[in-house]
Amino acid sequence: MSSPPLSPEAPTAPKGSVKAQATGQAGRSTTLDAAEISAKISELKTSSKGLTSMEAQDRLAKDGPNAIQAHEESRWKKLLGYFWGPIPWMIEIAAVISFLRADWPDFFVISGLLLYNAAIGFWQDNKAANALAALKKGLALKASACRDGVWAAIDATDLVPGDVVTVASGEIVPADLLLIDGKYLSVDQAALTGESLPVSKKIGDGAYSGSIARQGSMIGLVVATGNNTFFGRTAKLVASAGSKSHAEQAVLRIGDFLIILAAALAVVLVGAQIWRDLAHNGAWHWSEAGAIAQFVLVLLVASVPVAMPAVMSVTMALGALALSRQKAIVSRLSAIEELAGVDVLCSDKTGTLTQNKLTLQAPIPFGAAKADDLVIAAALATRTESTDAIDLAVLKALPDNNPLAAYKRVDFIPFDPVNKKTVGIVQDAAGHKIRYAKGAPQVIATLCGMKEEPVGSNDSSPATEYFGKVSELARHGTRSLGVAVSHDDGSSWTLLGLLPMLDPPRPDAAATIAQAKKLGLSVKMVTGDDVAIGSEIAHQLGLGEHLLKATDIFSSDMNPNKIPVDAARAVEAADGFGRVFPEHKFEIVKALQERGHIVAMTGDGVNDAPALKQADCGVAVSGATDAARSAAALVLTAPGLSTIVNAIVEARAIFERITSYIYYRIAMTIDIMFLVVASYLVFGFQPLTAIMIVVLALLDDIPIMTIAYDNVVTSAEPVRWDMHRIITFSSVMGIASLAESFGLLLLGIAWMHTPWLMDIVPLTAAHLQTMIFLQLAAGGHLLLFVVRTRHTIFRPPYPSRPLFLAVVGTQIVAVLLCVFGILVPALPWIMIGVGWIYALIWMVIIDLIKIVSSSQIKRREENSLKLGQPVIHNSI
């Protein structure tokens, strides 16, 4: 048994739906009549008795199996892709030169980092690719089909258009069907269309592949299979969806910047070396190529941030661990950085903003009836063992004193799509037989002999009052159920009233949305329900009530990859969308992305999977389907949206930490590259050996992974990559650091040319190399302390305990390497002390330079605001 439909009516069929396919008219929502059904059977060249085995075989060969078939890039190709690009190129060139020169320590360290970076990226991609596999799990494995006039169980993959199948309670609909025989079928298609209640089907209606039959049994004609089904189009959208993360784009642009810089400096180095050979020897020989290769190797190792992808991955992985404590599981690491920049949150309604269970609102009695009488009457027209959502809401609203015990059930008339009501026949304590009915408001009104009168004819009549209340509830998106009673065995009926029902918002939804708005997010509701229902929930949650029908924005022939500007602007301006289907959700995300927004999409059903994968950050809420979880980058394990606010705050903190590392890494790379070139050009001196640079990379980057625990101030607005600012600020810091390093080189050379200083502490070229090595090791981490905050380093937030201890531990290792001459020439303690004092003085100087630079950037932003230009927030 299923309860009657509630007002307002369910949304119309989507474009390209089963009904549309049956009639050839996209978007048609009316039930097909007998003539149209016959026409469809003729079109498919079949009959009500199905196909023969031979016909089925021919169609299977022509149309292919009833399975999801989507072409995705091979995993081997994806793996090779991680060895292609600016940063991999630089690492690979450095590894090849190391190999050719038999510099095995350099070769193994550089190659190891290259393989690690590729493995991390491939692992993330492999996890994300499981979305399609999860979708396929939703398909029926077996189907009962009529072949050669005999009913038999066959593999669902063998179904073809024209087959005739049966669908019964508890079964998965095996293909898109046109229902051609049977009394009644209740289908749960919420995971496909987002509708919050099971949908009642009758002859002439369509049923979607992958939906679940809850009650009843009917015979259906297969009209579409595989990728041509409603379900299949969803799967194809999942396979084609996906966008490159902004973090990946940022790394590529940083790599482009550094490789161009390295190439230019390499040309200068090679040119200078050849010119010196010609100037001193009068000729150049290929035997000099080894020396030039050595210089280029040093420069490449200096210029390649070999550990940058690894540090970013590990930093985000540690951030993902922190998010897991906030009940948010990260399945794609780049989602952390994307979540920090999200400025539009598209939220599914059913089960996300609402509780996904109907709740009885205050009853509206008519005549002499009381509120409790209305609820008891509706319960007497309900089977107590029913699992239907409407019936459960009615039974749950009963008083605690078990009023149904006073009645004896005599008979029960279940719901059917024609009568649209249920009737309970009971006997009271006095032995009187009474009939109670509940059903669609219009059906109950007709039962009671009430007709809707023209407006103004008799505003005080019961009919006018009744239909007025029904219309008012519908305008507010509230579903309503009419209730009536008969004491004369159904000869006449008395109206008892209306039962309003609503899928109520989650208790924490309004507060979560308010907090999201404080974080600078625009929240848009996306629901498969009617606009009126969505508007009422939006009103209660403070979302804004400018909801649009998705079909009013997106036409059936619109290319989702080329959204018209007008449509994209309409999506941007709307507060939400009703009557939404999978392709609409996908198009909504694409439209917002084309308008320059970073979009998060929340959802829990199969219908959400394409949009979840396409979104910059797809968020599967608690209780989501396997397909939604696989397609999403973030999976919430706690119910509701409250977890996402904590995740956004945590993501912005992680973003601040990553950008701090980026500033530091680019600045140090610039420092080392220009120091190597300038030292050679000015003094003919190589300040660092290749192994020193590799050791520096390890000393600087491996402990710095503890930056994932650093104390930061999070932005009150969405943050995103501003490459112009990053390159500009990092370059300023890099030039300041270069001044520090080159200054030490000048002091060292002056020291070596000052006899009395040489008498005190003899200094050789090898010692000077170690001094520069120590200064870069110490100055690098002190530079990190400088760039990690926009204020002076002497104000909070101070470095976290793990970061501070990691830096201290690293510096102790660096000092011990210098003292004992491990991998570098040994250095006296007095020179180590001089090097540290020098680095600390420069830390204060660079901090002052940072403050001046930051104030200039802030002033530019304020001027941009005055001119009406957009400002992109970042950590500096």
Side-chain angles (χ1 to χ4, degrees):
M1 190 282 298
S2 174
S3 287
L6 299 175
S7 176
E9 295 297 329
T12 57
K15 59 179 184 277
S17 67
V18 181
K19 297 177 186 177
Q21 293 167 5
T23 62
Q25 300 175 30
R28 178 171 179 174
S29 59
T30 55
T31 301
L32 273 64
D33 57 26
E36 290 173 317
I37 293 175
S38 296
K40 190 63 181 177
I41 291 174
S42 299
E43 180 188 331
L44 290 172
K45 298 179 180 177
T46 183
S47 70
S48 59
K49 294 183 179 180
L51 303 169
T52 65
S53 298
M54 187 69 69
E55 289 173 330
Q57 255 185 350
D58 291 342
R59 296 189 186 192
L60 187 64
K62 177 185 175 183
D63 299 329
N66 178 33
I68 305 301
Q69 297 173 318
H71 175 72
E72 288 190 308
E73 191 177 31
S74 72
R75 295 187 178 182
W76 282 109
K77 191 172 180 181
K78 288 181 180 179
L79 177 61
L80 293 175
Y82 290 102
F83 296 93
W84 188 262
I87 289 182
W89 290 338
M90 290 192 289
I91 298 174
E92 287 155 8
I93 291 171
V96 168
I97 294 176
S98 299
F99 177 81
L100 293 175
R101 291 191 55 80
D103 293 329
W104 303 121
D106 298 2
F107 173 77
F108 287 117
V109 170
I110 294 170
S111 300
L113 288 170
L114 177 68
L115 293 173
Y116 176 78
N117 293 338
I120 287 291
F122 180 71
W123 174 71
Q124 293 177 51
D125 236 3
N126 196 42
K127 286 192 68 179
N130 292 331
L132 192 59
L135 273 173
K136 292 179 181 178
K137 291 180 182 178
L139 293 176
L141 299 178
K142 289 286 185 179
S144 178
C146 187
R147 295 270 179 90
D148 301 314
V150 179
W151 288 97
I154 65 171
D155 290 338
T157 55
D158 291 338
L159 287 177
V160 294
D163 265 325
V164 173
V165 299
T166 60
V167 180
S169 177
E171 295 179 351
I172 297 174
V173 178
D176 278 5
L177 306 179
L178 172 62
L179 300 175
I180 60 174
D181 194 14
K183 290 185 177 180
Y184 170 67
L185 186 68
S186 176
V187 177
D188 182 353
Q189 55 192 40
L192 288 167
T193 66
E195 294 165 276
S196 52
L197 289 173
V199 179
S200 300
K201 304 286 186 180
K202 57 183 180 294
I203 293 175
D205 283 343
Y208 300 136
S209 171
S211 56
I212 302 170
R214 292 300 184 193
Q215 294 174 353
S217 175
M218 291 190 76
I219 294 175
L221 172 69
V222 176
V223 295
T225 58
N227 284 358
N228 295 320
T229 62
F230 183 86
F231 188 95
R233 289 192 299 278
T234 299
K236 283 200 292 186
L237 283 176
V238 170
S240 64
S243 56
K244 188 179 286 293
S245 77
H246 293 82
E248 291 171 326
Q249 296 176 30
V251 170
L252 287 174
R253 292 183 66 180
I254 291 169
D256 291 342
F257 169 73
L258 293 178
I259 197 169
I260 291 171
L261 195 58
L265 292 175
V267 169
V268 172
L269 264 180
V270 171
Q273 178 67 26
I274 293 175
W275 181 83
R276 285 188 177 178
D277 288 341
L278 291 172
H280 288 86
N281 304 325
W284 184 83
H285 300 285
W286 282 104
S287 59
E288 305 293 336
I292 293 178
Q294 178 67 34
F295 277 107
V296 172
L297 172 62
V298 172
L299 182 62
L300 281 173
V301 174
S303 65
V304 178
V306 285
M308 185 171 73
V311 171
M312 289 181 67
S313 295
V314 172
T315 301
M316 286 193 282
L318 292 175
L321 180 62
L323 286 178
S324 69
R325 300 190 187 103
Q326 303 283 346
K327 306 294 184 182
I329 307 302
V330 177
S331 61
R332 179 165 56 86
L333 289 182
S334 62
I336 295 172
E337 173 266 333
E338 302 290 4
L339 190 60
V342 164
D343 60 339
V344 178
L345 172 61
C346 295
S347 175
D348 195 44
K349 178 185 73 68
T350 304
T352 304
L353 296 175
T354 65
Q355 298 177 29
N356 196 21
K357 54 183 179 182
L358 284 179
T359 301
L360 198 66
Q361 307 299 296
I364 304 173
F366 279 74
K370 297 179 181 179
D372 282 352
D373 297 337
L374 197 54
V375 177
I376 293 169
L380 289 170
T382 302
R383 287 193 188 277
T384 55
E385 67 272 17
S386 173
T387 58
D388 182 84
I390 298 171
D391 292 346
L392 291 175
V394 170
L395 296 171
K396 188 176 180 180
L398 281 169
D400 294 333
N401 58 1
N402 191 22
L404 302 187
Y407 299 87
K408 179 183 178 182
R409 184 176 298 282
V410 176
D411 199 2
F412 184 82
I413 301 174
F415 172 85
D416 70 71
V418 177
N419 295 323
K420 295 184 178 180
K421 66 180 183 295
T422 60
V423 179
I425 305 170
V426 300
Q427 198 173 54
D428 64 11
H432 300 126
K433 188 181 289 187
I434 309 172
R435 289 176 177 246
Y436 290 99
K438 76 176 192 298
Q442 292 79 4
V443 171
I444 297 299
T446 302
L447 197 65
C448 297
M450 297 170 60
K451 293 183 179 180
E452 190 168 3
E453 299 177 4
V455 177
S457 58
N458 186 358
D459 292 339
S460 60
S461 70
T464 301
E465 183 184 355
Y466 177 80
F467 284 108
K469 184 60 69 175
V470 171
S471 297
E472 181 185 346
L473 291 170
R475 282 195 303 271
H476 289 87
T478 303
R479 304 171 186 268
S480 55
L481 190 70
V483 184
V485 63
S486 173
H487 294 278
D488 55 6
D489 207 23
S491 297
S492 63
W493 290 83
T494 301
L495 177 69
L496 295 178
L498 288 166
L499 291 178
M501 290 186 175
L502 192 67
D503 179 11
R506 289 184 179 273
D508 60 345
T512 300
I513 288 168
Q515 195 170 355
K517 289 183 175 180
K518 286 183 180 178
L519 291 170
L521 270 71
S522 170
V523 183
K524 298 180 187 292
M525 178 190 292
V526 181
T527 177
D529 277 332
D530 192 84
V531 169
I533 297 173
S535 295
E536 176 62 20
I537 296 296
H539 173 73
Q540 294 184 34
L541 297 178
L543 274 176
E545 300 173 42
H546 179 48
L547 268 69
L548 302 176
K549 292 181 184 178
T551 50
D552 291 343
I553 305 173
F554 304 108
S555 61
S556 59
D557 58 350
M558 183 180 294
N559 183 351
N561 294 313
K562 293 181 180 179
I563 306 293
V565 174
D566 290 343
R569 286 175 177 168
V571 170
E572 189 177 35
D575 294 320
F577 310 90
R579 298 191 179 186
V580 173
F581 290 90
E583 58 266 39
H584 295 148
K585 295 187 178 190
F586 180 82
E587 288 164 348
I588 287 167
V589 172
K590 289 282 287 186
L592 289 167
Q593 288 173 333
E594 287 186 10
R595 296 293 295 165
H597 295 285
I598 296 181
V599 184
M601 168 71 187
T602 69
D604 59 357
V606 173
N607 62 317
D608 298 322
L612 287 175
K613 189 178 177 186
Q614 176 61 36
D616 298 289
C617 183
V619 183
V621 297
S622 176
T625 61
D626 287 345
R629 287 196 298 269
S630 295
L634 196 69
V635 180
L636 305 185
T637 58
L641 280 181
S642 56
T643 307
I644 201 170
V645 174
N646 297 329
I648 287 172
V649 173
E650 185 66 32
R652 289 183 186 177
I654 294 167
F655 184 88
E656 296 288 344
R657 294 165 186 146
I658 290 175
T659 50
S660 296
Y661 168 76
I662 294 294
Y663 292 139
Y664 148 80
R665 184 65 266 169
I666 295 177
M668 285 303 297
T669 302
I670 290 173
D671 181 7
I672 296 173
M673 277 199 301
F674 278 91
L675 177 65
V676 170
V677 174
S679 301
Y680 181 73
L681 292 180
V682 177
F683 300 109
F685 178 71
Q686 185 176 331
L688 296 166
T689 63
I691 194 62
M692 282 182 177
I693 294 175
V694 173
V695 173
L696 271 175
L698 296 175
L699 287 175
D700 284 347
D701 285 336
I702 290 180
I704 218 168
M705 292 177 186
T706 55
I707 199 171
Y709 302 106
D710 195 22
N711 301 319
V712 294
V713 176
T714 57
S715 172
E717 297 289 333
V719 290
R720 61 173 70 181
W721 297 97
D722 180 356
M723 294 310 301
H724 175 73
R725 183 191 304 177
I726 288 175
I727 297 299
T728 301
F729 179 76
S730 299
S731 297
V732 171
M733 294 293 96
I735 292 169
S737 299
L738 175 62
E740 175 184 356
S741 301
F742 201 74
L744 181 63
L745 176 64
L746 292 175
L747 289 175
I749 291 174
W751 189 297
M752 288 189 292
H753 289 82
T754 305
W756 65 271
L757 288 175
M758 290 293 287
D759 291 338
I760 299 173
V761 179
L763 185 66
T764 65
H767 288 148
L768 183 54
Q769 283 183 324
T770 306
M771 283 281 290
I772 292 173
F773 167 83
L774 179 64
Q775 178 273 319
L776 290 170
H781 281 167
L782 294 178
L783 176 65
L784 174 65
F785 289 159
V786 170
V787 300
R788 57 172 291 277
T789 172
R790 67 196 69 184
H791 304 296
T792 176
I793 58 174
F794 301 108
R795 284 176 52 188
Y798 299 116
S800 66
R801 183 182 179 88
L803 177 61
F804 183 78
L805 292 178
V807 168
V808 170
T810 302
Q811 295 310 314
I812 291 173
V813 170
V815 168
L816 293 177
L817 289 177
C818 295
V819 169
F820 295 104
I822 302 172
L823 300 177
V824 298
L827 198 65
W829 277 105
I830 188 171
M831 300 306 296
I832 291 174
V834 169
W836 260 97
I837 292 172
Y838 181 83
L840 289 170
I841 292 172
W842 267 95
M843 179 186 71
V844 177
I845 295 171
I846 294 176
D847 189 46
L848 292 173
I849 295 172
K850 177 202 71 177
I851 293 171
V852 172
S853 176
S854 297
S855 66
Q856 291 295 323
I857 291 174
K858 185 176 181 181
R859 188 175 296 112
R860 274 203 311 272
E861 288 182 350
E862 290 173 350
N863 292 336
S864 296
L865 286 173
K866 290 177 183 177
L867 295 172
Q869 298 174 357
V871 174
I872 299 175
H873 295 271
N874 208 306
S875 54
I876 289 293

